[in-house]
Amino acid sequence: MSVALAAPSTGYVIAAIAVAGLITLALRALPFAALKPLRKSRFVQSLGRWMPAGILLILAVVVLGGELAGRPERVWPVVIATGVTVAVHLLARRRALLSIAAGTACYVLLLAVW
């Protein structure tokens, strides 16, 4: 015994898409609306200033720690590539993309040569 399902009507599909769009828009706008009264808060301003650097520091510590723990015989390429990344970042006016690319290229080159 099979049950044939009727296709939803065009109006039903359009209404479902419209409701989903409105809910998505509301969910994306809600954080900005909630943050608006807090923008002048010193705490939120401090979070906005320090959180990106803190997240980057945590990411670097986790990645470097994992790399050093996973390959203890290859400490020097990690140390040299980290130094190159920091040096390029400081010398190239804090261009993150350039320093990450230089550090990654240095690390890959050292792994190929070392």
Side-chain angles (χ1 to χ4, degrees), residues 39-53:
R39 287 185 194 245
K40 294 186 180 184
S41 165
R42 292 182 70 197
F43 178 70
V44 171
Q45 289 178 351
S46 178
L47 279 178
R49 184 174 44 237
W50 291 104
M51 189 176 274

Side-chain angles (χ1 to χ4, degrees), residues 69-104:
R71 300 178 190 183
E73 71 278 1
R74 294 185 175 181
V75 171
W76 287 109
V78 172
V79 171
I80 292 170
T82 303
V84 167
T85 303
V86 170
V88 170
H89 187 73
L90 294 176
L91 294 174
R93 298 182 183 175
R94 300 178 185 256
R95 293 184 181 159
L97 190 59
L98 180 63
S99 60
I100 291 170
T104 302

